[in-house]
Short mmCIF file of all heavy atoms in Angstrom, two decimals:
data_model
loop_
_atom_site.label_atom_id
_atom_site.label_comp_id
_atom_site.label_asym_id
_atom_site.label_seq_id
_atom_site.Cartn_x
_atom_site.Cartn_y
_atom_site.Cartn_z
N GLY A 481 11.22 -3.88 9.10
CA GLY A 481 11.27 -3.21 10.38
C GLY A 481 11.12 -4.21 11.47
O GLY A 481 10.78 -5.40 11.28
N ASP A 482 11.38 -3.75 12.70
CA ASP A 482 11.42 -4.69 13.85
C ASP A 482 10.02 -5.12 14.28
O ASP A 482 9.88 -6.09 15.08
CB ASP A 482 12.24 -4.15 15.08
CG ASP A 482 11.73 -2.79 15.52
OD1 ASP A 482 10.66 -2.31 15.03
OD2 ASP A 482 12.41 -2.17 16.34
N LYS A 483 8.94 -4.47 13.78
CA LYS A 483 7.62 -4.88 14.11
C LYS A 483 7.04 -5.82 13.03
O LYS A 483 5.89 -5.70 12.65
CB LYS A 483 6.75 -3.65 14.30
CG LYS A 483 7.22 -2.83 15.43
CD LYS A 483 6.55 -1.51 15.53
CE LYS A 483 7.35 -0.52 16.40
NZ LYS A 483 8.56 -0.06 15.73
N TRP A 484 7.84 -6.79 12.61
CA TRP A 484 7.47 -7.63 11.47
C TRP A 484 6.57 -8.84 11.85
O TRP A 484 5.89 -9.38 11.00
CB TRP A 484 8.73 -8.17 10.77
CG TRP A 484 9.61 -8.92 11.71
CD1 TRP A 484 10.66 -8.40 12.47
CD2 TRP A 484 9.55 -10.36 12.07
NE1 TRP A 484 11.21 -9.39 13.16
CE2 TRP A 484 10.57 -10.57 13.01
CE3 TRP A 484 8.70 -11.38 11.70
CZ2 TRP A 484 10.77 -11.80 13.52
CZ3 TRP A 484 8.93 -12.62 12.23
CH2 TRP A 484 9.93 -12.83 13.16
N LEU A 485 6.52 -9.20 13.19
CA LEU A 485 5.88 -10.44 13.48
C LEU A 485 4.41 -10.51 13.20
O LEU A 485 3.90 -11.45 12.59
CB LEU A 485 6.15 -10.75 14.97
CG LEU A 485 5.72 -12.17 15.44
CD1 LEU A 485 6.39 -13.26 14.65
CD2 LEU A 485 5.99 -12.34 16.96
N SER A 486 3.65 -9.42 13.56
CA SER A 486 2.18 -9.51 13.33
C SER A 486 1.85 -9.44 11.83
O SER A 486 0.94 -10.04 11.37
CB SER A 486 1.49 -8.44 14.10
OG SER A 486 1.90 -7.15 13.72
N TYR A 487 2.71 -8.68 11.08
CA TYR A 487 2.50 -8.64 9.65
C TYR A 487 2.74 -10.04 8.99
O TYR A 487 1.93 -10.47 8.20
CB TYR A 487 3.46 -7.63 9.03
CG TYR A 487 3.35 -7.53 7.50
CD1 TYR A 487 2.40 -6.70 6.89
CD2 TYR A 487 4.17 -8.29 6.67
CE1 TYR A 487 2.26 -6.68 5.48
CE2 TYR A 487 4.07 -8.24 5.30
CZ TYR A 487 3.09 -7.45 4.73
OH TYR A 487 2.98 -7.39 3.34
N PHE A 488 3.82 -10.69 9.39
CA PHE A 488 4.13 -11.99 8.87
C PHE A 488 3.00 -13.03 9.27
O PHE A 488 2.60 -13.82 8.41
CB PHE A 488 5.49 -12.43 9.53
CG PHE A 488 5.87 -13.85 9.17
CD1 PHE A 488 6.01 -14.22 7.86
CD2 PHE A 488 6.09 -14.80 10.18
CE1 PHE A 488 6.38 -15.58 7.54
CE2 PHE A 488 6.47 -16.05 9.86
CZ PHE A 488 6.61 -16.47 8.55
N TYR A 489 2.49 -12.94 10.48
CA TYR A 489 1.45 -13.80 10.93
C TYR A 489 0.20 -13.59 10.04
O TYR A 489 -0.44 -14.59 9.58
CB TYR A 489 1.13 -13.53 12.36
CG TYR A 489 0.04 -14.36 12.97
CD1 TYR A 489 0.27 -15.68 13.32
CD2 TYR A 489 -1.23 -13.82 13.21
CE1 TYR A 489 -0.77 -16.42 13.86
CE2 TYR A 489 -2.23 -14.59 13.68
CZ TYR A 489 -2.01 -15.89 14.03
OH TYR A 489 -3.01 -16.66 14.59
N ARG A 490 -0.11 -12.35 9.73
CA ARG A 490 -1.31 -12.06 8.89
C ARG A 490 -1.12 -12.69 7.52
O ARG A 490 -2.09 -13.28 6.97
CB ARG A 490 -1.53 -10.56 8.69
CG ARG A 490 -2.30 -9.93 9.81
CD ARG A 490 -3.02 -8.63 9.36
NE ARG A 490 -2.21 -7.65 8.69
CZ ARG A 490 -1.45 -6.73 9.28
NH1 ARG A 490 -1.39 -6.69 10.59
NH2 ARG A 490 -0.80 -5.79 8.60
N ARG A 491 0.06 -12.58 6.94
CA ARG A 491 0.32 -13.12 5.61
C ARG A 491 0.13 -14.65 5.61
O ARG A 491 -0.41 -15.28 4.74
CB ARG A 491 1.70 -12.83 5.08
CG ARG A 491 2.02 -11.38 4.79
CD ARG A 491 1.36 -10.89 3.47
NE ARG A 491 -0.02 -10.58 3.52
CZ ARG A 491 -0.52 -9.47 4.07
NH1 ARG A 491 0.29 -8.59 4.56
NH2 ARG A 491 -1.85 -9.21 4.11
N LEU A 492 0.66 -15.30 6.71
CA LEU A 492 0.54 -16.77 6.83
C LEU A 492 -0.90 -17.19 6.94
O LEU A 492 -1.30 -18.19 6.37
CB LEU A 492 1.32 -17.27 8.01
CG LEU A 492 2.85 -17.39 7.93
CD1 LEU A 492 3.39 -18.16 9.11
CD2 LEU A 492 3.31 -18.03 6.61
N MET A 493 -1.67 -16.48 7.67
CA MET A 493 -3.03 -16.90 8.01
C MET A 493 -4.03 -16.61 6.89
O MET A 493 -5.08 -17.18 6.81
CB MET A 493 -3.55 -16.23 9.25
CG MET A 493 -2.76 -16.61 10.51
SD MET A 493 -2.45 -18.36 10.68
CE MET A 493 -4.06 -18.94 11.20
N GLU A 494 -3.68 -15.70 5.95
CA GLU A 494 -4.71 -15.27 4.98
C GLU A 494 -4.90 -16.33 3.86
O GLU A 494 -5.96 -16.30 3.23
CB GLU A 494 -4.38 -13.90 4.36
CG GLU A 494 -3.31 -13.88 3.31
CD GLU A 494 -2.91 -12.46 2.94
OE1 GLU A 494 -3.52 -11.50 3.37
OE2 GLU A 494 -1.86 -12.40 2.24
N ARG A 495 -3.96 -17.17 3.63
CA ARG A 495 -4.14 -18.19 2.59
C ARG A 495 -3.56 -19.53 3.02
O ARG A 495 -2.47 -19.55 3.66
CB ARG A 495 -3.47 -17.73 1.27
CG ARG A 495 -4.21 -16.66 0.62
CD ARG A 495 -3.57 -16.32 -0.76
NE ARG A 495 -3.76 -17.36 -1.74
CZ ARG A 495 -4.89 -17.45 -2.51
NH1 ARG A 495 -5.79 -16.66 -2.27
NH2 ARG A 495 -4.96 -18.43 -3.34
N LYS A 496 -4.24 -20.63 2.67
CA LYS A 496 -3.79 -21.96 3.03
C LYS A 496 -2.35 -22.21 2.50
O LYS A 496 -1.51 -22.70 3.20
CB LYS A 496 -4.73 -22.97 2.42
CG LYS A 496 -4.73 -24.32 3.09
CD LYS A 496 -5.85 -25.18 2.56
CE LYS A 496 -5.68 -25.42 1.11
NZ LYS A 496 -6.87 -25.92 0.43
N GLU A 497 -2.09 -21.75 1.24
CA GLU A 497 -0.77 -21.99 0.68
C GLU A 497 0.33 -21.34 1.52
O GLU A 497 1.42 -21.90 1.68
CB GLU A 497 -0.64 -21.47 -0.75
CG GLU A 497 -1.58 -22.03 -1.77
CD GLU A 497 -2.84 -21.21 -1.86
OE1 GLU A 497 -3.76 -21.37 -0.98
OE2 GLU A 497 -2.97 -20.37 -2.77
N ASN A 498 0.07 -20.15 1.97
CA ASN A 498 1.05 -19.44 2.78
C ASN A 498 1.31 -20.16 4.09
O ASN A 498 2.48 -20.26 4.60
CB ASN A 498 0.59 -17.97 3.09
CG ASN A 498 0.53 -17.15 1.82
OD1 ASN A 498 0.98 -17.56 0.74
ND2 ASN A 498 0.04 -15.95 1.93
N LEU A 499 0.27 -20.67 4.73
CA LEU A 499 0.37 -21.44 5.94
C LEU A 499 1.22 -22.68 5.69
O LEU A 499 2.12 -23.02 6.50
CB LEU A 499 -0.99 -21.79 6.47
CG LEU A 499 -1.08 -22.33 7.85
CD1 LEU A 499 -0.42 -21.31 8.84
CD2 LEU A 499 -2.52 -22.55 8.29
N LEU A 500 0.94 -23.38 4.62
CA LEU A 500 1.74 -24.56 4.25
C LEU A 500 3.18 -24.22 4.03
O LEU A 500 4.12 -24.87 4.51
CB LEU A 500 1.16 -25.23 3.02
CG LEU A 500 -0.17 -25.94 3.22
CD1 LEU A 500 -0.73 -26.44 1.89
CD2 LEU A 500 -0.03 -27.07 4.16
#
Side-chain angles (χ1 to χ4, degrees):
D482 57 8
K483 296 170 198 73
W484 56 269
L485 188 57
S486 60
Y487 178 85
F488 174 59
Y489 179 76
R490 275 208 306 278
R491 293 284 82 75
L492 283 193
M493 298 312 286
E494 77 190 350
R495 287 182 72 81
K496 202 171 60 198
E497 300 91 280
N498 293 351
L499 191 55
L500 287 174

